[in-house]
Amino acid sequence: MSVEIPPDHPRYRSLLYRERLIEGMEKKVTAPAGLIAHGRGEAFDYLLGERTHPHAHTAIRQAAFLFLTSRHPVVSVNGNVAALCPEELVRLSKVTGAPLEVNLFYRSREREEAITRVLREHGAERVLGVGAEAVIPELSSERRRVDPEGILEADCVFVPLEDGDRTEALVRLGKKVITVDLNPLSRTARTATVTIVDNIVRALPLFIEVIERHRDDPSSLAVPDYDNKRILAEALSAIVRHLTAIAHELSD
């Protein structure tokens, strides 16, 4: 790490994650644009009070239910997630048997191999997506390139920190899409089957924990009458409540 961050710094964790992304960029894991995307997400995390709300816990339960009951779930990996949560990604793959697949908007063979290297360093035995030539129909970005043994054949795809165009394309293909997105207004959040409005560094460990606890009885996780639009509305309400509380505090 290029900067030594004192553990007692009030923004220790936030600065630590930023440094991970900078280090990831230096290793070609993260694209420069990924730093901008992280900053946008961090702003929404401020609005949420930097904590995991009940709506996120509800979405995590439903996401775990879908993932555990799917025929062929796949974990899609981009540069930011690989830089922030490589250990958790590998753990999720091992716990569920779902393959990891590299999928990038700013795609190059160098970045594919850099991300694969990071995942292998954290225990991944097999990583799909390197040099993938199969395509998602009606998608023109480099995210259209998918592995025929992975996302192309998946019935459920976990796509944290995703681009909206690919989420829309995957849903059109009849796939269930689970995403983690701090912005409840994004196209990804509004299109996905299940949206966990939370920070990936908090949500992914919780997702794995729920899966581990209930993998022998996934039906117990199903949320009756789950409505993703309601989850997004609850996330927006949480933001409003947090901002209102801060406004009252400042006006006292």
Side-chain angles (χ1 to χ4, degrees):
M1 188 173 296
S2 58
V3 177
E4 187 68 31
I5 305 169
D8 60 350
H9 191 288
R11 301 297 305 162
Y12 172 74
R13 290 191 177 278
S14 177
L15 293 173
L16 177 65
Y17 299 136
R18 292 182 198 178
E19 286 300 314
R20 285 185 187 176
L21 288 168
I22 293 169
E23 184 179 345
M25 187 176 69
E26 292 169 350
K27 293 180 177 179
K28 307 300 182 184
V29 170
T30 307
L35 303 186
I36 299 171
H38 179 77
R40 181 177 58 202
E42 195 172 58
F44 275 95
D45 207 11
Y46 280 5
L47 298 179
L48 285 163
E50 296 179 287
R51 67 184 183 89
T52 303
H53 290 263
H55 60 76
H57 285 287
T58 299
I60 286 170
R61 287 186 63 87
Q62 182 68 9
F65 167 70
L66 291 182
F67 211 66
L68 285 171
T69 56
S70 294
R71 171 186 54 81
H72 182 31
V74 172
V75 180
S76 180
V77 182
N78 69 11
N80 279 28
V81 182
L84 291 170
C85 309
E87 183 177 345
E88 290 83 357
L89 289 169
V90 173
R91 183 176 161 200
L92 175 61
S93 177
K94 289 186 174 181
V95 166
T96 62
L100 299 166
E101 179 171 336
V102 178
N103 186 275
L104 305 171
F105 185 87
Y106 298 98
R107 194 177 200 114
S108 70
R109 188 59 175 256
E110 184 180 28
R111 287 194 65 216
E112 291 173 345
E113 292 176 351
I115 292 170
T116 298
R117 188 159 50 249
V118 167
L119 295 173
R120 290 193 183 281
E121 287 171 357
H122 286 83
E125 296 176 0
R126 184 180 182 219
V127 180
L128 304 177
V130 178
E133 291 298 331
V135 298
I136 299 173
E138 301 178 15
L139 191 61
S140 58
S141 77
E142 284 298 296
R143 279 211 182 262
R144 73 186 184 278
R145 302 188 186 281
V146 290
D147 197 291
E149 296 181 42
I151 290 171
L152 191 65
E153 289 300 313
D155 58 338
C156 181
V157 190
F158 179 56
V159 285
L161 315 186
E162 173 66 354
D163 291 322
D165 59 343
R166 189 169 67 124
T167 299
E168 290 177 333
L170 292 173
V171 170
R172 280 197 302 270
L173 290 173
K175 302 179 190 295
K176 292 169 284 189
V177 177
I178 300 164
T179 194
V180 180
D181 195 331
L182 277 161
N183 178 5
L185 301 173
S186 75
R187 194 162 32 130
T188 297
R190 296 168 71 177
T191 305
T193 313
V194 176
T195 302
I196 303 166
V197 183
D198 197 17
N199 194 317
I200 185 66
V201 299
R202 295 192 301 267
L204 188 50
L206 290 173
F207 184 48
I208 296 168
E209 181 183 324
V210 170
I211 284 175
E212 288 180 327
R213 195 183 316 133
H214 296 273
R215 59 182 166 181
D216 293 330
D217 184 22
S219 61
S220 64
L221 287 168
V223 178
D225 302 318
Y226 179 84
D227 184 344
N228 204 54
K229 291 182 179 178
R230 185 177 69 243
I231 292 295
L232 299 180
E234 289 176 5
L236 288 170
S237 294
I239 289 173
V240 171
R241 286 194 301 272
H242 181 63
L243 292 177
T244 301
I246 292 174
H248 288 161
E249 180 182 314
L250 293 174
S251 62
D252 286 344

